[in-house]
Amino acid sequence: MAICNLDLPTQVTGLSLGSPEQLAGELAITVANALRDAIDSHGSAVLVVSGGRSPVAFFERLRGQELDWSKVTVSLADERFVPVGHPDSNEGLVRRHLLQGPAAKARLLGLYHAAPSLEEAARLADAALAELGRIDVLVLGMGEDGHTASLFPASPNLELALSPGCRQRCLPMQAPGVPRQRLSLTLPLLASAHLTLLALQGQAKLATLEDALAGDDVAAMPIRAFLRRPLEIHWCP
Ligand SMILES: O=C1O[C@H](COP(=O)(O)O)[C@@H](O)[C@H](O)[C@H]1O
């Protein structure tokens, strides 16, 4: 079912699910199918996922999917500048909720490095990401301010991170009002994904999406950069 009465651009599709559980299940099936297709076509698959609070149920459904996990590399769209054992760590979230059971065979390419500064950690992550290869599946989330990954409106590096010519794969980013600073993949790398999905829960995020669709200032709402490209949105109330 289409998402409420949203008028989506032709390259964007929208699927409305009845509940968070249904969204998690449907998303897990879509991602697993795309990873299987990638393994069939080129022998391996790269999955990039987002952090935050909402992906937990999706991770737990995805790890139960029949898949040759030993051929899958998992990485992150963004990370908090905290060690993996910290409760805010996106890598920690992936390790606890996705890389369990058979899915523990997947390779994890995390963004966090124990560097003396956020800038140095971003440089180390950027170098490590040279090994990532093509992204087969990217799963994005979105904040109520229209940020996605850690591409926050008004972050000092935002213009560079969104520019098509940005050579860095990862940059330091600032989340306004949030104490933990971030590392984010930049737009050229994120936009190279073969399949991009956006998972959204709740009326507030639907209202943010409507705002994003109504304007074109990408710096004000970085999610707009992805609404100009092929994108599959999965939403539930
Ligand atoms: O800060 C972040 O927020 C968005 C949305 O998170 P959610 O828990 O509200 O779904 C997330 O996609 C991003 O990775 C994260 O760093």
Side-chain angles (χ1 to χ4, degrees):
M1 209 207 319
I3 302 176
C4 301
N5 293 319
L6 282 191
D7 195 8
L8 296 171
T10 47
Q11 71 280 7
V12 178
T13 59
L15 187 62
S16 184
L17 286 312
S19 66
E21 295 71 29
Q22 282 178 22
L23 185 148
E26 186 64 35
L27 195 59
I29 290 168
T30 303
V31 170
N33 285 341
L35 295 176
R36 265 185 231 109
D37 287 349
I39 292 169
D40 288 348
S41 85
H42 48 272
S44 60
V46 172
L47 168 66
V48 173
V49 294
S50 295
R53 295 174 308 276
S54 42
V56 170
F58 156 62
F59 289 164
E60 293 184 348
R61 294 296 294 271
L62 181 59
R63 76 187 190 203
Q65 298 290 314
E66 199 65 44
L67 204 55
D68 185 350
W69 285 99
S70 67
K71 296 191 167 129
V72 177
T73 296
V74 178
S75 191
L76 289 157
D78 68 325
E79 182 58 285
R80 275 88 170 167
F81 186 44
V82 292
V84 174
H86 191 283
D88 290 346
S89 164
N90 285 343
E91 181 173 335
L93 191 82
V94 166
R95 286 183 185 277
R96 288 192 303 280
H97 297 284
L98 177 57
L99 302 183
Q100 297 289 328
K105 292 202 178 105
R107 168 183 174 234
L108 177 63
L109 205 165
L111 302 183
Y112 175 77
H113 290 80
S117 67
L118 178 67
E119 288 68 26
E120 182 56 18
R123 275 192 287 276
L124 292 169
D126 183 65
L129 284 163
E131 281 182 28
L132 187 66
R134 88 177 219 167
I135 301 175
D136 295 295
V137 188
L138 167 65
V139 185
L140 292 171
M142 181 187 74
E144 288 172 27
D145 57 357
H147 85 264
T148 189
S150 280
L151 301 170
F152 284 92
S155 178
N157 280 325
L158 184 67
E159 192 181 339
L160 175 61
L162 291 175
S163 83
C166 179
R167 297 165 77 107
Q168 290 94 331
R169 303 170 192 90
C170 180
L171 280 173
M173 301 299 292
Q174 281 181 25
V178 181
R180 316 245 173 252
Q181 295 311 305
R182 310 287 187 106
L183 299 156
S184 185
L185 300 198
T186 58
L187 183 61
L189 179 55
L190 291 167
S192 71
H194 184 66
L195 171 66
T196 304
L197 299 147
L198 173 62
L200 301 177
Q201 287 183 26
Q203 296 298 337
K205 291 201 179 179
L206 187 62
T208 302
L209 179 62
E210 279 186 286
D211 286 350
L213 288 164
D216 56 15
D217 181 355
V218 175
M221 298 185 87
I223 190 64
R224 287 180 175 141
F226 294 90
L227 297 171
R228 297 171 173 178
R229 303 180 151 75
L231 178 70
E232 286 186 23
I233 305 174
H234 288 218
W235 175 81
C236 73

